[in-house]
Coordinates of all heavy atoms in Angstrom, one line a residue:
R126 N 101.6 99.2 68.3 CA 101.4 100.3 67.3 C 101.8 101.6 67.9 O 102.3 102.5 67.2 CB 100.0 100.3 66.8 CG 99.7 99.1 65.8 CD 98.3 99.1 65.4 NE 98.1 97.9 64.5 CZ 96.9 97.6 64.0 NH1 95.8 98.2 64.4 NH2 96.8 96.5 63.2
L127 N 101.6 101.8 69.2 CA 102.0 103.0 69.9 C 103.5 103.1 69.9 O 104.1 104.2 69.6 CB 101.5 103.0 71.3 CG 100.0 103.5 71.5 CD1 99.6 103.2 72.9 CD2 99.9 104.9 71.1
L128 N 104.2 102.0 70.1 CA 105.7 102.0 70.0 C 106.1 102.3 68.6 O 107.1 103.0 68.4 CB 106.2 100.6 70.5 CG 106.1 100.4 72.0 CD1 106.6 98.9 72.3 CD2 107.0 101.3 72.8
H129 N 105.4 101.7 67.6 CA 105.7 101.9 66.2 C 105.7 103.4 65.9 O 106.6 104.0 65.3 CB 104.8 101.2 65.4 CG 105.2 101.0 63.9 ND1 104.5 100.3 63.0 CD2 106.3 101.5 63.3 CE1 105.2 100.3 61.8 NE2 106.2 101.1 62.0
A130 N 104.6 104.1 66.3 CA 104.5 105.5 66.1 C 105.6 106.3 66.8 O 106.1 107.3 66.3 CB 103.1 106.0 66.6
K131 N 105.9 105.9 68.0 CA 107.0 106.5 68.8 C 108.3 106.5 68.1 O 109.1 107.4 68.0 CB 107.1 105.9 70.2 CG 108.1 106.5 71.1 CD 108.2 105.7 72.4 CE 109.2 106.3 73.3 NZ 109.3 105.6 74.6
F132 N 108.6 105.3 67.5 CA 109.9 105.1 66.8 C 110.0 106.0 65.5 O 111.0 106.5 65.2 CB 110.1 103.6 66.4 CG 110.3 102.8 67.6 CD1 109.9 101.4 67.6 CD2 110.7 103.3 68.9 CE1 110.0 100.6 68.7 CE2 110.8 102.5 70.0 CZ 110.5 101.1 69.9
Y133 N 108.8 106.1 64.8 CA 108.8 106.9 63.6 C 109.1 108.4 64.0 O 109.8 109.0 63.2 CB 107.4 106.9 63.0 CG 107.3 106.1 61.8 CD1 106.6 104.8 61.8 CD2 107.8 106.5 60.6 CE1 106.5 104.0 60.7 CE2 107.7 105.7 59.5 CZ 107.1 104.4 59.5 OH 107.1 103.7 58.4
W134 N 108.7 108.8 65.1 CA 109.0 110.2 65.5 C 110.4 110.4 66.1 O 111.1 111.2 65.6 CB 108.0 110.7 66.6 CG 108.4 111.9 67.2 CD1 108.7 112.1 68.5 CD2 108.5 113.2 66.6 NE1 109.1 113.4 68.8 CE2 109.0 114.1 67.6 CE3 108.3 113.7 65.3 CZ2 109.2 115.4 67.3 CZ3 108.5 115.0 65.0 CH2 109.0 115.9 66.1
E135 N 110.8 109.5 67.0 CA 112.1 109.7 67.7 C 113.2 109.4 66.7 O 114.3 110.1 66.9 CB 112.2 108.7 68.9 CG 111.3 109.1 70.0 CD 111.4 108.2 71.2 OE1 112.1 107.2 71.1 OE2 110.9 108.6 72.3
N136 N 113.1 108.5 65.8 CA 114.2 108.1 64.9 C 114.2 108.8 63.6 O 115.2 109.2 63.1 CB 114.3 106.6 64.7 CG 114.6 105.9 66.0 OD1 115.7 105.7 66.4 ND2 113.5 105.4 66.7
L137 N 113.0 109.0 63.0 CA 112.9 109.6 61.7 C 112.4 111.0 61.7 O 112.4 111.6 60.6 CB 112.0 108.7 60.8 CG 112.4 107.2 60.7 CD1 111.4 106.5 59.8 CD2 113.8 107.1 60.1
K138 N 111.9 111.5 62.9 CA 111.3 112.8 63.0 C 110.2 113.0 62.0 O 110.0 114.1 61.5 CB 112.4 113.9 62.8 CG 113.5 113.8 63.8 CD 113.0 113.9 65.2 CE 114.2 113.7 66.2 NZ 113.7 113.7 67.6
N139 N 109.5 111.9 61.7 CA 108.4 112.0 60.7 C 107.1 112.2 61.5 O 106.4 111.3 61.9 CB 108.3 110.7 60.0 CG 107.4 110.8 58.8 OD1 106.4 111.6 58.8 ND2 107.6 109.9 57.8
S140 N 106.8 113.5 61.8 CA 105.6 113.9 62.6 C 104.3 113.5 61.9 O 103.4 113.1 62.6 CB 105.7 115.4 62.9 OG 105.7 116.1 61.7
A141 N 104.2 113.7 60.6 CA 103.0 113.5 59.9 C 102.6 112.0 60.0 O 101.4 111.7 60.3 CB 103.1 113.9 58.5
T142 N 103.5 111.1 59.8 CA 103.2 109.7 59.8 C 102.9 109.3 61.3 O 102.0 108.5 61.5 CB 104.4 108.9 59.3 OG1 104.7 109.3 58.0 CG2 104.1 107.4 59.3
A143 N 103.7 109.8 62.2 CA 103.4 109.4 63.6 C 102.1 109.9 64.1 O 101.4 109.1 64.7 CB 104.5 110.1 64.5
L144 N 101.7 111.1 63.7 CA 100.3 111.6 64.1 C 99.2 110.8 63.5 O 98.2 110.6 64.1 CB 100.2 113.1 63.8 CG 101.1 114.1 64.7 CD1 101.0 115.5 64.1 CD2 100.6 114.0 66.1
K145 N 99.4 110.5 62.2 CA 98.4 109.7 61.5 C 98.2 108.3 62.2 O 97.1 107.8 62.3 CB 98.8 109.5 60.1 CG 97.8 108.8 59.2 CD 98.2 108.8 57.7 CE 97.1 108.1 56.9 NZ 97.5 108.0 55.5
M146 N 99.4 107.7 62.6 CA 99.3 106.4 63.2 C 98.6 106.6 64.6 O 97.8 105.7 65.0 CB 100.7 105.9 63.5 CG 101.4 105.5 62.2 SD 103.1 104.9 62.4 CE 102.8 103.4 63.2
L147 N 98.8 107.6 65.3 CA 98.2 107.9 66.6 C 96.7 108.1 66.4 O 95.9 107.6 67.2 CB 98.8 109.1 67.3 CG 100.2 108.9 67.8 CD1 100.7 110.2 68.4 CD2 100.3 107.8 68.9
D148 N 96.3 108.7 65.3 CA 94.8 108.9 65.0 C 94.2 107.5 64.8 O 93.1 107.3 65.3 CB 94.7 109.8 63.8 CG 95.0 111.2 64.0 OD1 95.0 111.6 65.2 OD2 95.4 111.9 63.0
N149 N 94.8 106.7 64.0 CA 94.3 105.3 63.8 C 94.2 104.5 65.1 O 93.2 103.8 65.3 CB 95.2 104.6 62.8 CG 95.1 105.2 61.4 OD1 94.2 105.9 61.0 ND2 96.2 105.1 60.6
I150 N 95.2 104.7 65.9 CA 95.2 103.9 67.2 C 94.0 104.4 68.1 O 93.3 103.6 68.7 CB 96.5 104.1 67.9 CG1 97.6 103.4 67.2 CG2 96.5 103.5 69.4 CD1 99.0 103.7 67.6
D151 N 93.8 105.7 68.2 CA 92.7 106.3 69.0 C 91.4 105.8 68.5 O 90.5 105.5 69.3 CB 92.8 107.8 69.0 CG 94.0 108.3 69.8 OD1 94.5 107.6 70.6 OD2 94.3 109.5 69.6
A152 N 91.2 105.7 67.2 CA 90.0 105.3 66.6 C 89.7 103.8 66.9 O 88.6 103.4 67.2 CB 90.0 105.4 65.0
E153 N 90.8 103.0 66.9 CA 90.6 101.6 67.2 C 90.3 101.4 68.7 O 89.5 100.5 69.0 CB 92.0 100.8 66.9 CG 92.2 100.6 65.4 CD 93.4 99.7 65.1 OE1 93.5 98.7 65.8 OE2 94.2 100.1 64.3
I154 N 90.9 102.2 69.5 CA 90.6 102.1 71.0 C 89.1 102.4 71.2 O 88.4 101.7 72.0 CB 91.4 103.1 71.8 CG1 92.9 102.7 71.8 CG2 90.9 103.2 73.2 CD1 93.8 103.7 72.4
E155 N 88.5 103.4 70.5 CA 87.1 103.7 70.7 C 86.2 102.6 70.1 O 85.1 102.4 70.7 CB 86.8 105.1 69.9 CG 87.4 106.3 70.6 CD 86.9 106.5 72.0 OE1 85.7 106.3 72.2 OE2 87.6 107.0 72.8
Q156 N 86.6 101.9 69.1 CA 85.8 100.9 68.4 C 85.9 99.6 69.1 O 85.0 98.7 68.9 CB 86.2 100.8 67.0 CG 85.9 102.0 66.1 CD 86.5 102.0 64.7 OE1 87.0 100.9 64.3 NE2 86.3 103.0 63.9
T157 N 86.9 99.3 69.9 CA 87.1 98.0 70.5 C 86.3 97.9 71.8 O 86.6 98.6 72.8 CB 88.6 97.7 70.8 OG1 89.4 98.0 69.6 CG2 88.8 96.3 71.3
Q158 N 85.3 97.1 71.7 CA 84.4 97.0 72.9 C 85.1 96.3 74.1 O 84.8 96.6 75.2 CB 83.1 96.3 72.5 CG 82.3 97.0 71.5 CD 81.7 98.3 72.0 OE1 81.4 98.4 73.2 NE2 81.6 99.3 71.2
S159 N 85.9 95.3 73.8 CA 86.5 94.5 74.8 C 87.4 95.3 75.7 O 87.5 95.1 76.9 CB 87.3 93.3 74.2 OG 88.3 93.8 73.3
L160 N 88.1 96.3 75.1 CA 89.0 97.2 75.8 C 88.2 98.2 76.7 O 88.8 98.6 77.8 CB 89.9 98.0 74.9 CG 91.0 97.2 74.2 CD1 91.8 98.2 73.3 CD2 92.0 96.7 75.3
K161 N 87.0 98.5 76.4 CA 86.2 99.5 77.2 C 85.9 98.9 78.5 O 85.6 99.6 79.5 CB 85.0 99.9 76.4 CG 85.3 100.7 75.2 CD 84.0 101.1 74.5 CE 84.3 102.0 73.3 NZ 83.1 102.4 72.6
R162 N 85.9 97.6 78.7 CA 85.6 97.0 79.9 C 86.8 96.8 80.8 O 86.7 96.3 81.9 CB 84.9 95.6 79.7 CG 83.6 95.7 79.0 CD 82.9 94.4 79.1 NE 83.6 93.3 78.3 CZ 83.4 93.1 77.0 NH1 82.5 93.8 76.3 NH2 84.1 92.1 76.5
T163 N 88.0 97.2 80.3 CA 89.2 97.0 81.1 C 89.8 98.4 81.5 O 89.5 99.4 80.9 CB 90.3 96.3 80.3 OG1 90.7 97.1 79.2 CG2 89.7 95.0 79.7
K164 N 90.6 98.4 82.5 CA 91.3 99.6 83.0 C 92.5 99.9 82.2 O 93.0 101.1 82.3 CB 91.6 99.4 84.5 CG 90.4 99.4 85.4 CD 90.8 99.3 86.9 CE 89.5 99.3 87.7 NZ 89.9 99.2 89.2
Q165 N 93.1 98.9 81.5 CA 94.3 99.2 80.8 C 94.1 100.1 79.6 O 95.1 100.6 79.0 CB 95.0 97.9 80.4 CG 95.8 97.2 81.5 CD 96.8 96.2 81.0 OE1 96.6 95.7 79.9 NE2 97.8 96.0 81.8
V166 N 92.9 100.3 79.2 CA 92.6 101.2 78.1 C 93.1 102.6 78.5 O 93.5 103.4 77.6 CB 91.2 101.2 77.7 CG1 90.3 101.8 78.8 CG2 90.9 102.0 76.4
T167 N 93.1 102.9 79.8 CA 93.6 104.2 80.3 C 95.1 104.4 79.9 O 95.5 105.5 79.6 CB 93.4 104.3 81.8 OG1 92.0 104.0 82.1 CG2 93.7 105.7 82.3
F168 N 95.9 103.3 80.0 CA 97.3 103.4 79.7 C 97.5 103.7 78.2 O 98.3 104.6 77.9 CB 97.9 102.0 80.0 CG 98.4 101.8 81.4 CD1 97.7 101.0 82.2 CD2 99.6 102.5 81.8 CE1 98.1 100.9 83.5 CE2 100.0 102.3 83.1 CZ 99.3 101.5 84.0
L169 N 96.7 103.1 77.3 CA 96.8 103.3 75.9 C 96.5 104.8 75.6 O 97.2 105.5 74.8 CB 95.9 102.4 75.1 CG 96.2 100.9 75.3 CD1 95.1 100.1 74.5 CD2 97.6 100.5 74.7
Q170 N 95.4 105.3 76.2 CA 95.0 106.7 75.9 C 96.0 107.6 76.5 O 96.3 108.7 75.8 CB 93.6 106.9 76.6 CG 92.5 106.1 75.9 CD 91.2 106.3 76.7 OE1 91.2 106.6 77.9 NE2 90.1 106.0 76.0
Y171 N 96.6 107.3 77.6 CA 97.6 108.2 78.2 C 98.9 108.2 77.4 O 99.4 109.3 77.1 CB 98.0 107.7 79.6 CG 99.2 108.3 80.2 CD1 99.2 109.6 80.7 CD2 100.4 107.6 80.3 CE1 100.3 110.2 81.3 CE2 101.5 108.2 80.8 CZ 101.5 109.5 81.3 OH 102.6 110.1 81.9
W172 N 99.4 107.1 76.9 CA 100.6 107.1 76.1 C 100.4 107.8 74.8 O 101.2 108.5 74.2 CB 101.0 105.6 75.8 CG 101.5 104.9 77.1 CD1 102.2 105.5 78.1 CD2 101.4 103.5 77.4 NE1 102.5 104.6 79.1 CE2 102.1 103.4 78.7 CE3 100.9 102.4 76.8 CZ2 102.2 102.1 79.3 CZ3 101.0 101.2 77.4 CH2 101.6 101.1 78.6
S173 N 99.2 107.6 74.2 CA 98.9 108.3 72.9 C 98.9 109.8 73.1 O 99.5 110.6 72.3 CB 97.5 107.9 72.4 OG 97.1 108.6 71.3
L174 N 98.3 110.3 74.2 CA 98.3 111.8 74.5 C 99.7 112.3 74.7 O 100.0 113.4 74.2 CB 97.4 112.0 75.7 CG 95.9 112.0 75.5 CD1 95.2 112.1 76.8 CD2 95.4 113.1 74.6
M175 N 100.5 111.5 75.4 CA 101.9 112.0 75.7 C 102.7 112.1 74.4 O 103.5 113.0 74.2 CB 102.5 111.0 76.7 CG 102.0 111.2 78.1 SD 102.3 112.8 78.9 CE 104.1 112.7 79.1
Q176 N 102.5 111.1 73.6 CA 103.3 111.1 72.3 C 102.8 112.3 71.4 O 103.7 113.0 70.8 CB 103.1 109.8 71.5 CG 103.8 108.6 72.1 CD 103.8 107.4 71.2 OE1 103.9 107.6 70.0 NE2 103.7 106.3 71.8
R177 N 101.5 112.6 71.4 CA 101.0 113.7 70.7 C 101.6 115.0 71.2 O 102.0 115.9 70.5 CB 99.5 113.8 70.7 CG 98.8 112.7 69.8 CD 97.3 112.9 70.0 NE 96.6 111.9 69.2 CZ 96.3 112.0 67.9 NH1 96.7 113.1 67.3 NH2 95.6 111.1 67.3
A178 N 101.6 115.1 72.6 CA 102.1 116.3 73.2 C 103.5 116.6 72.9 O 103.9 117.7 72.6 CB 101.9 116.2 74.7
V179 N 104.3 115.5 72.9 CA 105.8 115.7 72.6 C 106.0 116.1 71.2 O 106.8 117.0 70.9 CB 106.5 114.3 72.9 CG1 107.9 114.4 72.3 CG2 106.5 114.0 74.3
I180 N 105.2 115.6 70.2 CA 105.3 116.0 68.8 C 104.9 117.4 68.6 O 105.6 118.2 68.0 CB 104.5 115.0 67.9 CG1 105.1 113.6 68.0 CG2 104.4 115.5 66.5 CD1 104.2 112.6 67.3
E181 N 103.8 117.8 69.2 CA 103.3 119.2 69.1 C 104.3 120.2 69.7 O 104.5 121.3 69.2 CB 101.9 119.3 69.8 CG 100.8 118.5 69.1 CD 100.4 119.0 67.7 OE1 100.9 120.2 67.3 OE2 99.7 118.3 67.0
S182 N 104.9 119.8 70.8 CA 105.9 120.6 71.5 C 107.1 120.8 70.6 O 107.6 122.0 70.4 CB 106.3 120.0 72.8 OG 107.4 120.7 73.4
K183 N 107.5 119.8 69.9 CA 108.7 119.9 69.0 C 108.4 120.7 67.8 O 109.2 121.4 67.2 CB 109.1 118.5 68.6 CG 110.4 118.4 67.8 CD 111.6 118.9 68.6 CE 112.9 118.7 67.9 NZ 114.1 119.2 68.7
L184 N 107.1 120.7 67.4 CA 106.6 121.4 66.2 C 106.3 122.9 66.6 O 105.7 123.6 65.8 CB 105.4 120.8 65.6 CG 105.6 119.4 65.0 CD1 104.3 118.8 64.5 CD2 106.6 119.4 63.8
N185 N 106.6 123.3 67.8 CA 106.4 124.6 68.3 C 104.9 125.0 68.5 O 104.6 126.2 68.5 CB 107.1 125.7 67.5 CG 108.6 125.5 67.5 OD1 109.2 125.2 68.6 ND2 109.3 125.7 66.4
N186 N 104.1 124.0 68.6 CA 102.6 124.3 68.9 C 102.5 124.2 70.4 O 102.0 123.2 71.0 CB 101.8 123.2 68.2 CG 101.9 123.3 66.7 OD1 102.1 124.3 66.1 ND2 101.8 122.1 66.0
D187 N 102.9 125.3 71.0 CA 103.0 125.4 72.4 C 101.6 125.2 73.1 O 101.5 124.3 74.0 CB 103.6 126.8 72.8 CG 104.0 126.8 74.3 OD1 103.8 125.7 75.0 OD2 104.6 127.8 74.7
N188 N 100.6 125.9 72.7 CA 99.3 125.8 73.3 C 98.7 124.4 73.2 O 98.1 123.9 74.1 CB 98.3 126.9 72.7 CG 98.8 128.3 73.1 OD1 99.4 128.5 74.1 ND2 98.5 129.3 72.2
Q189 N 98.8 123.9 72.0 CA 98.2 122.6 71.7 C 98.9 121.5 72.6 O 98.3 120.6 73.1 CB 98.3 122.2 70.2 CG 97.7 120.9 69.8 CD 96.2 120.9 70.0 OE1 95.5 121.9 70.0 NE2 95.7 119.7 70.2
A190 N 100.2 121.7 72.7 CA 101.0 120.7 73.5 C 100.5 120.8 75.0 O 100.3 119.7 75.6 CB 102.5 121.0 73.4
E191 N 100.3 122.0 75.5 CA 99.9 122.1 76.9 C 98.5 121.5 77.2 O 98.3 120.9 78.2 CB 100.0 123.6 77.3 CG 101.4 124.1 77.5 CD 101.5 125.4 78.2 OE1 100.5 125.7 78.9 OE2 102.5 126.1 78.2
K192 N 97.6 121.7 76.2 CA 96.3 121.1 76.3 C 96.4 119.6 76.4 O 95.7 118.9 77.2 CB 95.4 121.5 75.2 CG 95.0 123.0 75.2 CD 94.2 123.3 74.0 CE 93.9 124.8 74.0 NZ 93.1 125.2 72.8
L193 N 97.3 119.0 75.6 CA 97.4 117.6 75.6 C 98.1 117.1 76.9 O 97.7 116.0 77.4 CB 98.3 117.1 74.4 CG 97.6 117.3 73.0 CD1 98.6 117.1 71.9 CD2 96.5 116.4 72.8
F194 N 99.0 117.9 77.4 CA 99.6 117.5 78.7 C 98.6 117.5 79.8 O 98.7 116.7 80.7 CB 100.8 118.5 79.0 CG 102.1 118.1 78.3 CD1 102.7 119.0 77.5 CD2 102.7 116.8 78.5 CE1 103.9 118.7 76.8 CE2 103.9 116.5 77.9 CZ 104.5 117.4 77.1
I195 N 97.7 118.5 79.8 CA 96.7 118.6 80.8 C 95.8 117.4 80.7 O 95.4 116.8 81.8 CB 95.9 119.9 80.6 CG1 96.8 121.1 81.0 CG2 94.7 119.9 81.6 CD1 96.1 122.4 80.7
K196 N 95.3 117.0 79.5 CA 94.5 115.8 79.4 C 95.2 114.5 79.9 O 94.6 113.7 80.5 CB 94.1 115.6 77.9 CG 93.1 116.7 77.4 CD 92.7 116.4 76.0 CE 91.8 117.4 75.4 NZ 91.4 117.2 74.0
A197 N 96.5 114.4 79.5 CA 97.3 113.3 80.0 C 97.4 113.2 81.5 O 97.3 112.1 82.1 CB 98.7 113.3 79.3
K198 N 97.5 114.4 82.1 CA 97.6 114.4 83.6 C 96.4 113.9 84.2 O 96.4 113.2 85.3 CB 97.9 115.8 84.0 CG 98.2 115.9 85.5 CD 98.5 117.4 85.9 CE 98.8 117.4 87.4 NZ 99.1 118.8 87.9

Side-chain angles (χ1 to χ4, degrees):
R126 287 176 181 171
L127 280 171
L128 287 174
H129 196 175
K131 180 181 179 182
F132 297 154
Y133 256 107
W134 166 247
E135 290 183 349
N136 293 275
L137 303 179
K138 302 302 177 184
N139 191 335
S140 59
T142 303
L144 289 172
K145 185 176 180 181
M146 293 176 70
L147 292 174
D148 290 337
N149 294 333
I150 292 169
D151 290 342
E153 287 187 48
I154 292 173
E155 291 295 327
Q156 294 173 2
T157 307
Q158 295 296 325
S159 60
L160 283 178
K161 291 181 179 180
R162 295 191 297 271
T163 67
K164 292 183 179 179
Q165 280 199 336
V166 68
T167 309
F168 274 104
L169 298 175
Q170 294 171 340
Y171 169 74
W172 290 329
S173 176
L174 286 171
M175 287 297 290
Q176 287 191 37
R177 286 180 181 276
V179 170
I180 295 172
E181 295 293 347
S182 175
K183 188 66 176 179
L184 295 176
N185 294 322
N186 297 328
D187 194 357
N188 294 330
Q189 183 63 24
E191 288 196 15
K192 291 178 182 178
L193 293 169
F194 277 122
I195 292 171
K196 290 182 180 179
K198 185 178 181 180

